[in-house]
Amino acid sequence: MTDIIQLLPDHVANQIAAGEVVQRPASVVKELLENAIDAGATNIQLLIKDAGKTLIQVADNGKGMSITDARLSFERHATSKIKLAEDLFQLQTKGFRGEALASIAAIAQVDLKTKPQEEEVGTHIQIKGSEVESQEACVTPIGTVIHVKNLFYNIPARRNFLKSTAVETRHIIDEFQRVALAHSSIAFSMHHNGNEMFQLPISNLRQRIVNIFGSKTNEKLVPVEEETELVNITGFVGKPEFAKRSRGEQFFFVNNRYIKSPYLNHAVTAAFEGLLKDKSYPSYFLFLEVDPKSIDINIHPTKTEIKFDDEHALYAILRSSIKHSLGQFSVAPVLDFNRDANLDTPYDLETKSARTPQVEVDRDFNPFQEIKSKATSGSGFQPKRQTVPQENWEALYHGLDSKDENDFSKVEFESDAITGQLFETSKVSASSTTFQLQKKYIISPFKNGMILIDQHRAHCRILYEDLLKSITVKAAVSQQLLFPLSLQLNVQEIEMLHHLREALEQTGFIFSKMKDGEVEITGIPTLITESEVSILLDQLLSDFENEIPDSGFLQTDLLAKSLAKSMAIKAGTQLDTVEQIAIVNGLFACKEPQLTPTNKKIFITLQAEDIEKKFM
Ligand code: ADP
Ligand code: MG
């Protein structure tokens, strides 16, 4: 039999490679923009005609190329960005495959002008279907200008396959936006058929987002920031009330490279759970910085997919940091704590010439101090949050734009206005600021109406945050039991407890034995009583029945959720006013007061106008 295998000629190989790299004009745009960034440009201009089908031009002020480099740049696997396979694991550049220019030149007419700083004249190369047509010296500014004309001119099938101008333009805009968002320290512009579409000066990220998506975007952004050993997260998410019907404005960048990740997207969506209307998608612009060694970006030819070493932990961190940001920023518009004197006196006393009640107000009195001492005085119910950190109120408003409609500098909580006497006599009279409804809800008036708090859910949230804190900072206090408490458990349960032992001990449990079907406990968290221990561990084990998350973070989270749920006061528990106020204050000192750890609504508000309507 005669030999039949032969090597493909270069231009055929290039065309085949081009099929992978260049799917449509937008792919060319992406490659050229990235090359300009890799070349250190601070100003990049994109110009397209007919959705890039006729012309794609990118001009940059980057470092340019020498004569030899200019020629070599069109060779396949010609790259200045990696030398060794190991370099792949510490990539700092966008490109590295050395395929883009070779591929593009195989399927289009390319015209390149480039000049490095140290050279007097530049180089002008024309290539068509991988054939160099001309190479000559030229006058050109420092940097590179590259024209890509008549894409797929030599592959009619591919050219005919391109979508409408509108669709292809949309794809180009998408690529442009992704690159521009990731590089706000570079100026970009984009023109299509002679019309300016974007003009983006060097700026910070927030301004860049606003410059791309419009000035209305500014008020919608909530900053996200989290630093951990595994990942640093920065960026913004859109406030839930501005969520869109489409997925348009969702961007993840990993080490400044745009990526798609359904998994991480799920983490973001999970953080928004309970806050979004049906079928709406939150915007996000999130930048994750990870050790380049911990990711593999080479698994997809167009490099928008990525593999992380520790996906689960990343998920948990992302979700919690967004939740945290949303918690800090989105409660404010719901509640208006400004006092309105008119609502304090429902009857206009002056005009009715009624006698104003004489109330002596001690302006220096701080009701929070009083609550605190009451709370720890151990009157049967121990409000489980021991302190009521008034200063934490500020956290709720931290970072709000001063432009915001609500003037939060005047924030005043209803209970601030209570007179001293009310608290000095431990009998709190009917004129106090909170009361309980059906042993289930706590009602508290606010300027704009009133707030109805589910007591169990509120307490859950307070305990959850407390527990998370004590587990992470390892500062929980324990109460020693006079006699060790012994519980009989089965093998699986003991096995599960082993996994949770460390975290449990950080909440205040002390185990003296954990084997042979028996658990012996000598210390328990101060927040619970001895009689509750068995129910609590039961509940905990059933919550962990299906799985014990392998990541420490998820485990802690689940543990705190479970403990909080069983420890929280139940519906049907009567609360005195001090306890009610402790719950209200404790709740609003939380990072995320609106939702329980399992994303259930904790309170609702009834606006004054809604109440007024009912009387019409
Ligand atoms: P890669 O970017 O993967 O290295 P490319 O085919 O995109 O491969 O580019 C090949 C080489 O050409 C690059 O490594 C770089 O040295 C050079 N190059 C391409 N575009 C530019 C540019 N705009 N400015 C300076 N050098 C460039
Ligand atoms: Mg490249």
Side-chain angles (χ1 to χ4, degrees):
M1 186 178 161
T2 48
D3 298 338
I4 49 171
I5 298 178
Q6 52 179 315
L7 288 176
L8 289 175
D10 263 2
H11 71 277
V12 181
N14 281 341
Q15 264 195 24
I16 293 169
E20 260 196 43
V21 180
V22 184
Q23 281 108 25
R24 51 174 20 121
S27 335
V28 175
V29 168
K30 172 175 188 269
E31 294 296 337
L32 297 183
L33 292 178
E34 291 189 345
N35 278 350
I37 291 165
D38 285 346
T42 55
N43 191 324
I44 302 175
Q45 291 163 8
L46 168 68
L47 200 150
I48 55 170
K49 281 197 182 136
D50 307 326
K53 295 173 193 172
T54 313
L55 173 73
I56 298 164
Q57 178 193 311
V58 172
D60 70 59
N61 64 350
K63 64 171 184 254
M65 284 177 268
S66 68
I67 306 176
T68 333
D69 281 353
R71 176 64 196 84
L72 262 181
S73 69
F74 291 103
E75 293 297 325
R76 203 140 58 92
H77 306 308
T79 179
S80 54
K81 297 166 195 173
I82 57 171
K83 293 195 174 75
L84 307 166
E86 291 86 85
D87 295 346
L88 272 175
F89 301 102
Q90 38 218 339
L91 280 171
Q92 302 294 335
T93 56
K94 310 268 139 194
F96 57 87
R97 300 166 145 247
E99 279 183 328
L101 288 188
S103 300
I104 294 166
I107 49 165
Q109 299 156 356
V110 178
D111 188 305
L112 170 95
K113 283 185 184 161
T114 186
K115 186 176 96 73
Q117 189 174 16
E118 58 281 4
E119 225 86 43
E120 287 280 297
V121 287
T123 308
H124 182 189
I125 294 181
Q126 288 181 296
I127 298 194
K128 187 177 170 188
S130 298
E131 301 282 329
V132 179
E133 303 220 298
S134 73
Q135 171 165 355
E136 56 203 20
C138 74
V139 178
T140 185
I142 296 168
T144 303
V145 186
I146 182 160
H147 299 244
V148 175
K149 286 181 245 169
N150 303 323
L151 192 68
F152 298 129
Y153 81 99
N154 51 356
I155 318 179
R158 294 293 299 276
R159 196 170 167 87
N160 294 336
F161 203 67
L162 291 177
K163 297 268 168 29
S164 69
T165 301
V167 171
E168 295 301 340
T169 308
R170 183 69 245 168
H171 283 290
I172 293 176
I173 291 173
D174 283 349
E175 291 294 355
F176 177 84
Q177 289 180 344
R178 291 166 189 173
V179 173
L181 279 172
H183 300 276
S184 56
S185 56
I186 298 176
F188 288 89
S189 69
M190 173 173 167
H191 289 80
H192 186 204
N193 293 338
N195 300 321
E196 179 181 293
M197 307 202 61
F198 294 98
Q199 190 63 254
L200 312 174
I202 291 173
S203 62
N204 61 23
L205 175 62
R206 190 176 195 124
Q207 289 164 323
R208 177 57 53 96
I209 295 172
V210 169
N211 283 334
I212 294 178
F213 296 103
S215 55
K216 288 218 182 77
T217 321
N218 196 23
E219 54 168 318
K220 303 179 188 172
L221 299 176
V222 177
V224 178
E225 251 186 275
E226 184 75 276
E227 272 185 41
T228 67
E229 266 180 25
L230 192 70
V231 58
N232 287 345
I233 304 172
T234 53
F236 297 91
V237 293
K239 292 182 184 158
E241 60 267 35
F242 297 108
K244 305 206 149 199
R245 293 254 159 224
S246 74
R247 293 176 182 274
E249 296 170 9
Q250 302 191 324
F251 298 88
F252 276 122
F253 300 89
V254 172
N255 296 354
N256 252 16
R257 183 192 296 274
Y258 171 82
I259 60 134
K260 288 188 183 131
S261 169
Y263 185 70
L264 294 184
N265 177 65
H266 192 273
V268 179
T269 317
F272 274 89
E273 212 176 289
L275 299 173
L276 293 175
K277 283 185 237 118
D278 247 8
K279 300 220 169 52
S280 62
Y281 302 94
S283 322
Y284 55 83
F285 312 88
L286 293 168
F287 290 73
L288 280 62
E289 229 180 287
V290 297
D291 182 348
K293 290 194 200 78
S294 74
I295 50 172
D296 180 3
I297 43 170
N298 204 9
I299 59 167
H300 194 276
T302 49
K303 294 170 286 185
T304 54
E305 272 149 38
I306 191 168
K307 256 183 67 167
F308 299 97
D309 283 355
D310 201 347
E311 234 178 16
H312 294 298
L314 214 56
Y315 183 102
I317 295 168
L318 186 62
R319 176 166 163 269
S320 81
S321 58
I322 295 172
K323 271 179 146 259
H324 183 179
S325 298
L326 288 174
Q328 274 200 332
F329 287 88
S330 62
V331 68
V334 182
L335 301 176
D336 183 354
F337 299 113
N338 288 338
R339 281 179 64 81
D340 180 339
N342 289 327
L343 274 165
D344 287 345
T345 50
Y347 312 108
D348 192 342
L349 297 172
E350 264 175 13
T351 52
K352 296 224 166 119
S353 69
R355 207 170 58 88
T356 314
Q358 298 298 307
V359 181
E360 275 206 19
V361 179
D362 174 5
R363 290 281 165 206
D364 295 329
F365 179 74
N366 178 355
F368 291 94
Q369 270 165 3
E370 190 58 23
I371 296 164
K372 190 170 156 184
S373 64
K374 282 275 186 307
T376 47
S377 67
S379 55
F381 171 89
Q382 297 206 343
K384 303 197 171 168
R385 192 178 186 90
Q386 306 278 333
T387 52
V388 184
Q390 189 181 11
E391 70 272 21
N392 276 16
W393 277 96
E394 288 159 17
L396 287 174
Y397 310 104
H398 169 74
L400 274 176
D401 263 350
S402 55
K403 298 197 216 78
D404 228 289
E405 284 162 30
N406 304 314
D407 182 2
F408 288 99
S409 60
K410 283 191 243 130
V411 165
E412 201 179 313
F413 188 44
E414 190 86 10
S415 62
D416 282 356
I418 306 167
T419 61
Q421 282 97 341
L422 282 182
F423 277 91
E424 270 147 23
T425 59
S426 75
K427 297 255 174 308
V428 177
S429 73
S431 59
S432 66
T433 53
T434 62
F435 62 93
Q436 205 185 8
L437 187 72
Q438 295 181 330
K439 294 186 188 159
K440 195 173 176 200
Y441 303 104
I442 301 168
I443 296 183
S444 178
F446 285 106
K447 168 211 157 185
N448 274 359
M450 62 187 193
I451 177 168
L452 242 128
I453 301 172
D454 182 309
Q455 64 188 44
H456 169 70
R457 293 184 181 182
H459 199 205
C460 256
R461 160 58 58 187
I462 297 168
L463 290 171
Y464 168 74
E465 293 198 3
D466 262 3
L467 283 163
L468 265 192
K469 209 188 307 156
S470 59
I471 298 174
T472 19
V473 304
K474 307 186 168 99
V477 218
S478 177
Q479 46 173 319
Q480 294 282 325
L481 296 176
L482 217 46
F483 303 102
L485 187 75
S486 167
L487 301 175
Q488 312 302 313
L489 299 175
N490 69 29
V491 186
Q492 289 101 310
E493 289 169 334
I494 301 257
E495 175 59 24
M496 264 192 268
L497 271 190
H498 269 297
H499 281 284
L500 300 170
R501 181 172 186 160
E502 199 188 336
L504 276 171
E505 293 192 330
Q506 278 152 16
T507 69
F509 279 100
I510 302 170
F511 298 97
S512 52
K513 183 178 170 191
M514 204 182 264
K515 61 177 182 207
D516 307 331
E518 192 190 350
V519 171
E520 207 174 70
I521 302 167
T522 53
I524 58 175
T526 47
L527 304 176
I528 58 172
T529 62
E530 197 174 331
S531 59
E532 291 170 317
V533 172
S534 135
I535 308 168
L536 194 134
L537 286 184
D538 246 18
Q539 180 63 49
L540 181 75
L541 290 170
S542 87
D543 283 345
F544 274 87
E545 197 169 51
N546 297 325
E547 54 155 341
I548 294 196
D550 41 10
S551 119
F553 180 87
L554 287 176
Q555 207 181 76
T556 309
D557 190 60
L558 192 50
L559 179 78
K561 269 184 195 158
S562 172
L563 291 179
K565 192 174 62 189
S566 11
M567 282 156 61
I569 43 151
K570 303 285 178 291
T573 313
Q574 180 120 33
L575 303 176
D576 67 31
T577 311
V578 173
E579 293 162 346
Q580 292 167 25
I581 292 177
I583 295 271
V584 176
N585 290 336
L587 176 65
F588 287 102
C590 282
K591 284 179 177 164
E592 201 178 324
Q594 305 101 311
L595 295 174
T596 65
T598 49
N599 287 322
K600 297 210 181 78
K601 235 186 230 170
I602 292 176
F603 60 80
I604 56 166
T605 52
L606 257 174
Q607 301 293 327
E609 42 201 78
D610 297 334
I611 300 172
E612 272 159 31
K613 271 190 208 137
K614 296 229 183 265
F615 285 101
M616 290 210 281

